Amino acid sequence: MTIPPSTSETTAVRSPWWRRAAVALFRWVYRLTGAALITAALVFIVAQTDWARDYMRTRVLDLLNGQLDGKVQCTDVHLDLFRGIVLERPQLFAHGTTVLEAERISVAYDLAALFGRTLAVNTVEIVRPNINVVRGMDSVWNVSRIVRPSADTTTTPPPDLVIRVRGVSVTGGHVVVDDRTSARGSGEVFDPMHLSLRAFELRAAVRLALRDGDHSIGINHLSFYDEHARTMDVREFTLAARIRPTDVDIQSLALRLARTDVRLRATIDGLDLLKDGINDSILAIHPIVGVVEADSVWGPDIALVVPDARLQDSHRSRAP
């Protein structure tokens, strides 16, 4: 006699194949992610050892100095979980001068962007730098002797690459421009060849499309004062501009001094700025077309840039 199965006994039913595949995929992703995190943690821990830091410092300096006419030195190079590659007390020498010395420089990359033909730098942070741009009595600027000239003199088109720097930060800087072939002025007139900019603060972003020549620059904050021309006290400067081979588009520019507050929008059609540069003869062919708005303009601030101007006190204006 056959006894039928009880209703309390159930036959196991297999899950659909797609569900079993999803569970297996999840398990493998989970395991691989855990292994990657553990490996990254071990690499990070090893990178903090004295041996690893000495090795990294040697390799980074060899890599940099191998591409330069100048020379880079620093006391330490290490990996930071939040800042990326960090150079402590870096110095850059060129043409017998110290071009740069800083408390710290850190660079954080986005390696995944390389798959999209983009060299992405998340942050570049420069802390308390002293920057010296010097023209010696031989009429040579020290910054022109930093990069070693290429041995390949053939002309090649720019690579199909986009360079994107999402954040550049300079804090507590001192920037000096010194043309030693000419005498320093009295400080009553703006002299771009003789500057000593103190309390230099900068926050900016850059996008460079090398092959197309389509470049965008954004300055979110720039401030400084010139110790040789104390009326040049820039409290806030911001800029959004696009530079292409066909034009220059200044989408917004704002400048606030102690007693001057102006804003500008302008375009220069037909100008290839990087190829032709800019001067009076260029501007005669490609005039600036824009709008200037001023909440206040102080006479001495105008006279610093335009010595023949005779503007007294403060004024407000809007001019196309």
Side-chain angles (χ1 to χ4, degrees):
M1 183 171 119
T2 303
I3 302 176
S6 172
T7 55
S8 60
E9 297 178 2
T10 58
T11 304
V13 179
R14 298 185 66 184
S15 300
W17 68 267
W18 58 265
R19 182 175 297 177
R20 297 196 306 274
V23 171
L25 178 63
F26 174 78
R27 287 174 179 170
W28 276 106
V29 170
Y30 180 81
R31 291 168 182 170
L32 290 174
T33 302
L37 290 175
I38 293 173
T39 302
L42 290 175
V43 170
F44 181 77
I45 292 171
V46 171
Q48 306 309 309
T49 63
D50 291 339
W51 173 84
R53 292 172 77 145
D54 289 342
Y55 177 80
M56 184 182 298
R57 175 178 175 274
T58 301
R59 295 299 298 169
V60 169
L61 292 181
D62 287 347
L63 178 63
L64 291 174
N65 290 322
Q67 306 298 319
L68 302 177
D69 256 355
K71 184 178 181 180
V72 177
Q73 293 180 347
C74 64
T75 59
D76 186 28
V77 178
H78 62 273
L79 290 176
D80 186 279
L81 188 60
F82 301 103
R83 294 192 178 101
I85 300 176
V86 180
L87 282 71
E88 299 287 353
R89 301 290 180 184
Q91 293 177 300
L92 171 61
F93 305 97
H95 203 50
T97 64
T98 302
V99 180
L100 166 71
E101 55 183 356
E103 180 178 303
R104 183 179 66 249
I105 296 178
S106 59
V107 181
Y109 289 95
D110 182 0
L111 296 178
L114 288 174
F115 293 100
R117 295 183 178 274
T118 299
L119 176 59
V121 180
N122 289 331
T123 58
V124 177
E125 182 183 18
I126 307 176
V127 180
R128 295 185 181 90
N130 290 313
I131 302 172
N132 298 282
V133 182
V134 178
R135 185 183 190 186
M137 297 304 295
D138 57 359
S139 297
V140 176
W141 290 95
N142 60 352
V143 292
S144 69
R145 297 298 177 87
I146 295 176
V147 180
R148 180 176 301 168
S150 175
D152 185 4
T153 58
T154 59
T155 302
T156 57
D160 186 12
L161 182 69
V162 175
I163 300 176
R164 185 189 300 273
V165 183
R166 296 188 175 99
V168 178
S169 172
V170 179
T171 57
H174 180 205
V175 179
V176 172
V177 179
D178 186 12
D179 183 356
R180 295 175 181 174
T181 64
S182 62
R184 186 187 305 277
S186 63
E188 296 179 357
V189 177
F190 177 64
D191 182 1
M193 296 294 100
H194 299 92
L195 301 173
S196 183
L197 309 181
R198 295 280 186 178
F200 190 92
E201 305 279 335
L202 172 67
R203 289 185 291 278
V206 179
R207 180 187 180 277
L208 308 175
L210 300 184
R211 176 160 295 183
D212 298 335
D214 189 350
H215 310 315
S216 298
I217 302 172
I219 299 177
N220 299 321
H221 173 81
L222 173 63
S223 61
F224 57 82
Y225 71 87
D226 189 340
E227 63 180 348
H228 298 306
R230 295 305 296 268
T231 53
M232 182 181 290
D233 184 1
V234 177
R235 306 292 178 86
E236 182 82 26
F237 176 84
T238 61
L239 171 69
R242 188 176 184 183
I243 301 172
R244 294 176 289 189
T246 57
D247 64 350
V248 176
D249 182 12
I250 303 175
Q251 298 159 355
S252 68
L253 183 154
L255 174 65
R256 182 170 60 86
L257 308 178
R259 300 188 184 184
T260 296
D261 191 350
V262 297
R263 294 174 300 281
L264 166 70
R265 298 190 307 276
T267 58
I268 309 177
D269 290 329
L271 174 63
D272 188 345
L273 180 63
L274 299 182
K275 178 181 178 182
D276 301 330
I278 189 167
N279 52 45
D280 292 341
S281 60
I282 292 293
L283 291 178
I285 303 173
H286 307 285
I288 301 175
V289 179
V291 176
V292 179
E293 298 180 0
D295 289 339
S296 62
V297 177
W298 192 46
D301 289 338
I302 299 299
L304 181 68
V305 181
V306 186
D308 295 333
R310 294 292 182 266
L311 185 64
Q312 302 295 326
D313 299 325
S314 296
H315 299 266
R316 299 181 62 184
S317 65
R318 183 181 188 276

